[in-house]
Amino acid sequence: AVIYFVQSFAAKLPWHPDECGGCTTGDYFGQTVLNAASFGDEGGWDVQGKLFLALMAVWFVTWLALIGGKNVLGKIAYFTVLFPVFLLIIIFFKAVTLEGAGDGVAYYITPDMSHLTKPNTWSAAASQILFSLSPAMGTAIAMSSYHEKSYDRLLQDNL
């Protein structure tokens, strides 16, 4: 993700089909970012320098956040909640000014109820619920450890 983030600031996206010879985003990720090769090709698996540096950068930022304690984690939480909302607002106003935006909004707010009878729809919804809840559980447990056992405003804080 760090590599994609850095490369997304290029004037022409490197994973655009015109730039990478008609490749898809998945092809670009596998062949260029990961430099994927089968085991045994070219002598085995080698450490990819760019990936290693990106991984170390992410772990360093994580270490900085954790070393700062709950005060820093609180500030990071504010940033990671408010900044994406700010970006979504910007993207929303950009999107509604594009040609055909009305057709897209009409498609979005006009549901196709026939999909509710398909088991795959319900399976995908249940998977999304479980996926959405699981990342938050570890953070909730970790942050709750900072309260004393006799903390009496826990219910009010969570409502």
Side-chain angles (χ1 to χ4, degrees), residues 6 18 28 46 70 80 89 122 134 142 145 147 154:
V6 170
D18 294 340
Y28 178 80
D46 295 326
K70 65 180 180 178
T80 58
I89 291 170
W122 293 98
S134 60
S145 68
H147 286 297
L154 187 62

Side-chain angles (χ1 to χ4, degrees), residues 33-35 42-56:
V33 175
L34 294 180
N35 196 16
E42 302 172 18
W45 291 331
D46 295 326
V47 174
Q48 304 297 325
K50 191 178 354 177
L51 288 176
F52 181 75
L53 289 175
L55 179 65
M56 290 299 105

Side-chain angles (χ1 to χ4, degrees), residues 5-89:
F5 178 73
V6 170
Q7 291 177 345
S8 69
F9 290 103
K12 283 193 168 188
L13 295 176
W15 53 83
H16 190 274
D18 294 340
E19 294 295 315
C20 63
C23 69
T24 64
T25 307
D27 293 338
Y28 178 80
F29 179 73
Q31 295 169 3
T32 306
V33 175
L34 294 180
N35 196 16
S38 300
F39 184 72
D41 291 351
E42 302 172 18
W45 291 331
D46 295 326
V47 174
Q48 304 297 325
K50 191 178 354 177
L51 288 176
F52 181 75
L53 289 175
L55 179 65
M56 290 299 105
V58 168
W59 276 109
F60 181 71
V61 170
T62 303
W63 177 76
L64 286 176
L66 292 175
I67 203 79
K70 65 180 180 178
N71 294 332
V72 173
L73 287 176
K75 292 174 185 171
I76 291 172
Y78 277 119
F79 176 77
T80 58
V81 169
L82 296 176
F83 186 66
V85 170
F86 176 69
L87 289 179
L88 283 174
I89 291 170

